[in-house]
Each structure stands twice: as structure tokens, then as C-alpha cells.
């Protein structure tokens, strides 16, 4: 039997050849443009899967459920609520005042143009939120004090090249992909920082890293009065600074307001039943911001008052790890697999939604469990 080539000579239609299990040949015709789009989509999916399979992070072991859940929670919570910061205004204003303090000393050739301030505390206590809050106000200040503000996520394992690219992107809005080596990126960074008063936020910095000196080396070309704001789990990561700020607990009412902001669906107009139950749940969480947002997210997804009542009686919520583990177990099995898959990427890795959904689909994690014949890509986008 003669099998025609995949593409018909006609510019508007192409033939598709299928062979059934019994050997029957079946031909189908579709517009050439649709076939072209399908082929490009498949190629893009194959390239994405290949990149993941070749990733060195696939061979790394996970740091455990606790760190995975903490890291994943740094993304915006999926809810109808808008981002809002609770109870950090006083600390924000204090840090902004410290950033402007005159710490000048007699001039010296070895004198650094910057000083360091460190916010430290346990994971999930609100350090990153506070640092972002400070940055937002500095960027929006009409009497702008700093010429440039850079918010950089560091984490325990980082590549110097990536950090330099992130810094350049914050300054110039470009990744400078044409520069292939770390030395070239450092030179470009020096060029763009020279003579400027900068605020550099190094979020999630860790101790005992030999790259810290290399990381800071291009910064001393800045203008006197520049600042580095560090967030870290330990004050030992303060880069030698004695200006240390322990992250404080939120006031009880501020904490409850934050919890209910993320827990209560905006479509519920009569919240009188929910408030006392929500207060009982919030008290169990020991004022942990990450526990509040994570548990509240599950309550938002299930507004049934009986679910809230059952949750309020759970002893597992009394510890932060228990609260996070409970929230994780509320996810359906398929969603948990998608969640686990994300742990192969390094901390703070920026994932594009469409690419991530295609990778989930390639691993057969996304399914139409409701039998609605919904496109799996649409299902993945809703997770």
C-alpha cells in the first residue's frame, strides 16, 4: 500500500496517517496551519521535558517536607484575596530610618561605601515579607533616597553568575544574556553601580559561604550611604554587621486579621459563624505567619462551616510543622504529585506557569478526574 507523505502538496490541507491495532490504515485531513501549530506545540513540549530531564537538580535529594512546604509557600496564595501586609508598619518605618542614618567616618581608602543591616528569625516568620515591604516603600518614595533598589533571592545554594544577572536585571531591566562569564557580569555590574547610592536586599542569606566575599566585591564602587539589607535564619549570616533586627511576632489581633483575610471567601457576606471558629483556629497556630497563610488557604478552598469546625478541633495545628503537614494532606493526590514535582527545582527558581503545566502533563500528573472531557492543559492551569 502506498502511504502518502505527511504533508499534502495542497498548501491548505495536510494528511495524517494512523494505523489501528488490526492493521487498518486510517487517513485524516486537517488544515495545514492547524497541523503546523500542533507540531510546534509538540516540539516545545519535547524541549521542555528534555531540559528538565537534563537538569542537575533531578539528582539532588530533597531537604525534607518542612523546607519544601516553606519554600513553596513563598509564591502568592491562590485566592481571591489581594496581597496585604499586616502588623509590620512600625518595623518598616524603623528599618527605613536606619537605612538613612549617617554612619560616615573619616575617609579611608579601605572604607566601604555601604553598611549592613540584618533581619533574622526562623523560617516562615515574615522576614521576606518585611524586606519586600521596605523595598516597595523605597521604590515608591517621591523623594527617592536610593538611586537603585535591588531585591535578590539568595538561598543556601546559589550560583554567583545568577545573582549578578539578577542584580543587573534589577538595575537595567535586562538579563544581559550576551555576557557568558561571571567576570564579564561583574564588570558590567561595576559599570552600572559606580557612583550610585544603592539598596541591595539579600533575601535568605546563609552562613559560612565562601562566595560571600566574591558576591560583595563589585559593590564598593557605589556612593557612600549605600546599604545592604540581609534576611537570614541566623544572625551569624549578617555579613559582620552589628545592626541586628530579630523578627517579632505579630500582635494577636493583627495575626487574626491576617488569618481571616486569607481564610474567608469574599463572597461570604455573613461571617458571624466563621469569626469565632476562625479565632479558635488562629490561636492554635502560635502566631506563625506561614502557618496562618497555609492553613487559611485550605479553609478558603473549603468554606463549608463543618470543615471549619472540624479543623478547629485538630491538635496537629498546635505546631507549625503539623499545620503545614495538615495543609499538604488536604490536597488531592494528583495535586500533591504536582506539588512534589516542584521540589526538583532549586529554591526561589522562577517557574513559568505554562511551562510548568506542560511538564506536569508530560509526567501524566494532570488528569480530568471529573470526566468532563476537559482539556488537560486547562485542568493544569486551574491547579
Amino acid at each position: 500500500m502506498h502511504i502518502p507523505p505527511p504533508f499534502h502538496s495542497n498548501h491548505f490541507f495536510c494528511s495524517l496517517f494512523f494505523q489501528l491495532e488490526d492493521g487498518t490504515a486510517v487517513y485524516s485531513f486537517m488544515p495545514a496551519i492547524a497541523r503546523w501549530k500542533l507540531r510546534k506545540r509538540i516540539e516545545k513540549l519535547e524541549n521542555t521535558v528534555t531540559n528538565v530531564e537534563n537538569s542537575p537538580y533531578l539528582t539532588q535529594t530533597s531537604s525534607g517536607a518542612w523546607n519544601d512546604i516553606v519554600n513553596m509557600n513563598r509564591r502568592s496564595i491562590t485566592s481571591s484575596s489581594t496581597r496585604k501586609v499586616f502588623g509590620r508598619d512600625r518595623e518598616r518605618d524603623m528599618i527605613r530610618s536606619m537605612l538613612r542614618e549617617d554612619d560616615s567616618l573619616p575617609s579611608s581608602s579601605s572604607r566601604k561605601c555601604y553598611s549592613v543591616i540584618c533581619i533574622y528569625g526562623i523560617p516562615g516568620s515574615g522576614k521576606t515579607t518585611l524586606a519586600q515591604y521596605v523595598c516597595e516603600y523605597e521604590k515608591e518614595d517621591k523623594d527617592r533616597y536610593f538611586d537603585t533598589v535591588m531585591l535578590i533571592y539568595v538561598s543556601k545554594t546559589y550560583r554567583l553568575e545568577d545573582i549578578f544577572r539578577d542584580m543587573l536585571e534589577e538595575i537595567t531591566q535586562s538579563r544581559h544574556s550576551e555576557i557568558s562569564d561571571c567576570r564579564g557580569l561583574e564588570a558590567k555590574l561595576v559599570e552600572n553601580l559606580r557612583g550610585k547610592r544603592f539598596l541591595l536586599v539579600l533575601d535568605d542569606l546563609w552562613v559560612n559561604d565562601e562566595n560571600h566575599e566574591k558576591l560583595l566585591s563589585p559593590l564598593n564602587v557605589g556612593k557612600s550611604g549605600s546599604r545592604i539589607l540581609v534576611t537570614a535564619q541566623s544572625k551569624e549570616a549578617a555579613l559582620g554587621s552589628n545592626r541586628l533586627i530579630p523578627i517579632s511576632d505579630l500582635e494577636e489581633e493583627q495575626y487574626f486579621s491576617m488569618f481571616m483575610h486569607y481564610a474567608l471567601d469574599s463572597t461570604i457576606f455573613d461571617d458571624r459563624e466563621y469569626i469565632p471558629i476562625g479565632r479558635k483556629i488562629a490561636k492554635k497556630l502560635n502566631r506563625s505567619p506561614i502557618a496562618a497563610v497555609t492553613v487559611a488557604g485550605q479553609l478558603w478552598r473549603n468554606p463549608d462551616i463543618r470543615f471549619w469546625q472540624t479543623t478547629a478541633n485538630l491538635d496537629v495545628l498546635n505546631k507549625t510543622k503539623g499545620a503545614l503537614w495538615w495543609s499538604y494532606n488536604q490536597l488531592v493526590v494528583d495535586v500533591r504529585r504536582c506539588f512534589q514535582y516542584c521540589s526538583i527545582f532549586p529554591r526561589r527558581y522562577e517557574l513559568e506557569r505554562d511551562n510548568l503545566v506542560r511538564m506536569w502533563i508530560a509526567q501524566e500528573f494532570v488528569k480530568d478526574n471529573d470526566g468532563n472531557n476537559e482539556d488537560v492543559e486547562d485542568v493544569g492551569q486551574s491547579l
Side-chain angles (χ1 to χ4, degrees):
M1 176 186 296
H2 173 69
I3 300 176
F7 291 93
H8 195 272
S9 59
N10 187 306
H11 291 291
F12 298 100
F13 289 89
C14 64
S15 61
L16 297 178
F17 167 73
F18 303 94
Q19 189 162 14
L20 303 182
E21 292 183 358
D22 61 1
T24 305
V26 179
Y27 296 91
S28 175
F29 292 88
M30 65 185 302
I33 187 64
R35 173 63 179 168
W36 179 83
K37 287 182 178 179
L38 177 62
R39 187 181 67 206
K40 299 301 290 184
R41 195 169 182 178
I42 292 172
E43 287 175 356
K44 188 173 182 180
L45 179 58
E46 289 174 342
N47 289 336
T48 301
V49 173
T50 299
N51 289 338
V52 173
E53 289 175 343
N54 293 333
S55 171
Y57 300 107
L58 281 171
T59 61
Q60 295 183 358
T61 56
S62 172
S63 57
W66 161 245
N67 282 333
D68 292 341
I69 296 172
V70 169
N71 297 337
M72 287 297 294
N73 200 69
R74 292 184 187 276
R75 71 183 187 278
S76 299
I77 187 171
T78 306
S79 79
S80 59
S81 305
T82 55
R83 181 181 180 273
K84 188 175 180 180
V85 178
F86 292 84
R88 298 298 184 192
D89 289 3
R90 182 184 60 81
E91 290 163 298
R92 177 204 65 201
D93 293 340
M94 177 188 69
I95 293 173
R96 293 189 71 207
S97 177
M98 293 174 69
L99 294 174
R100 288 162 172 73
E101 287 178 359
D102 183 6
D103 58 356
S104 59
L105 293 173
S107 59
S108 167
S109 59
S110 62
R111 168 87 176 141
K112 290 183 171 63
C113 71
Y114 60 83
S115 59
V116 183
I117 301 169
C118 177
I119 306 169
Y120 69 94
I122 63 173
S125 55
K127 304 182 299 295
T128 296
T129 298
L130 177 55
Q132 290 174 336
Y133 203 27
V134 170
C135 283
E136 287 172 6
Y137 270 73
E138 289 298 336
K139 289 180 178 180
E140 295 170 2
D141 192 344
K142 62 180 180 180
D143 301 319
R144 189 153 179 173
Y145 182 75
F146 295 102
D147 298 311
T148 186
V149 178
M150 299 168 283
L151 175 58
I152 307 298
Y153 302 117
V154 184
S155 80
K156 191 171 185 178
T157 58
Y158 68 89
R159 296 173 67 242
L160 204 58
E161 178 183 322
D162 292 336
I163 297 297
F164 285 167
R165 285 194 192 280
D166 289 344
M167 292 168 69
L168 280 169
E169 186 171 16
E170 289 280 277
I171 300 169
T172 67
Q173 308 304 309
S174 170
R175 294 290 288 176
H176 293 277
S177 303
E178 74 282 0
I179 305 176
S180 59
D181 63 294
C182 196
R183 189 169 295 179
L185 290 167
E186 182 177 353
K188 192 70 174 178
L189 196 55
V190 167
E191 176 187 328
N192 280 276
L193 285 176
R194 189 179 301 279
K196 292 182 179 179
R197 181 189 288 138
F198 62 81
L199 169 60
L200 170 62
V201 178
L202 296 175
D203 186 26
D204 196 19
L205 193 68
W206 288 68
V207 296
N208 300 326
D209 194 306
E210 60 184 15
N211 281 329
H212 284 175
E213 187 174 342
K214 295 178 182 178
L215 174 63
L216 301 177
S217 62
L219 301 180
N220 211 37
V221 299
K223 185 178 178 179
S224 179
S226 295
R227 297 287 182 268
I228 298 178
L229 178 61
V230 171
T231 73
Q233 294 185 26
S234 167
K235 56 187 176 183
E236 280 71 35
L239 299 178
S241 173
N242 59 1
R243 305 166 84 178
L244 307 173
I245 305 170
I247 193 76
S248 62
D249 287 337
L250 294 174
E251 298 293 333
E252 185 175 347
E253 283 305 310
Q254 292 170 339
Y255 185 80
F256 176 65
S257 296
M258 178 182 71
F259 176 79
M260 293 302 290
H261 173 75
Y262 290 111
L264 204 60
D265 195 309
S266 59
T267 61
I268 298 176
F269 297 104
D270 187 358
D271 58 6
R272 287 174 296 181
E273 283 187 289
Y274 292 88
I275 288 177
I277 304 173
R279 192 173 293 278
K280 183 178 179 181
I281 297 172
K283 284 185 176 180
K284 286 178 175 283
L285 302 177
N286 299 309
R287 302 192 195 178
S288 166
I290 192 171
V293 175
T294 307
V295 172
Q298 295 302 331
L299 295 172
W300 179 85
R301 291 180 179 89
N302 192 341
D304 189 321
I305 194 68
R306 291 169 297 182
F307 180 74
W308 281 54
Q309 290 168 338
T310 301
T311 302
N313 294 321
L314 295 175
D315 291 334
V316 71
L317 302 182
N318 290 325
K319 294 184 178 180
T320 300
K321 289 185 180 180
L324 297 179
W325 185 244
W326 172 83
S327 299
Y328 172 76
N329 281 300
Q330 300 310 302
L331 302 173
V332 298
V333 174
D334 289 342
V335 175
R336 274 190 240 166
R337 294 177 70 194
C338 293
F339 182 94
Q340 292 166 351
Y341 183 79
C342 293
S343 68
I344 70 174
F345 298 95
R347 299 183 71 186
R348 306 296 182 82
Y349 184 85
E350 288 191 15
L351 288 165
E352 292 185 8
R353 186 186 188 93
D354 290 346
N355 283 342
L356 179 60
V357 169
R358 293 187 189 108
M359 286 187 278
W360 284 342
I361 294 171
Q363 298 294 329
E364 298 184 350
F365 292 163
V366 181
K367 299 174 183 176
D368 179 18
N369 291 326
D370 295 331
N372 297 324
N373 294 322
E374 188 177 0
D375 188 284
V376 288
E377 195 158 328
D378 293 335
V379 175
Q381 291 285 349
S382 68
L383 296 180

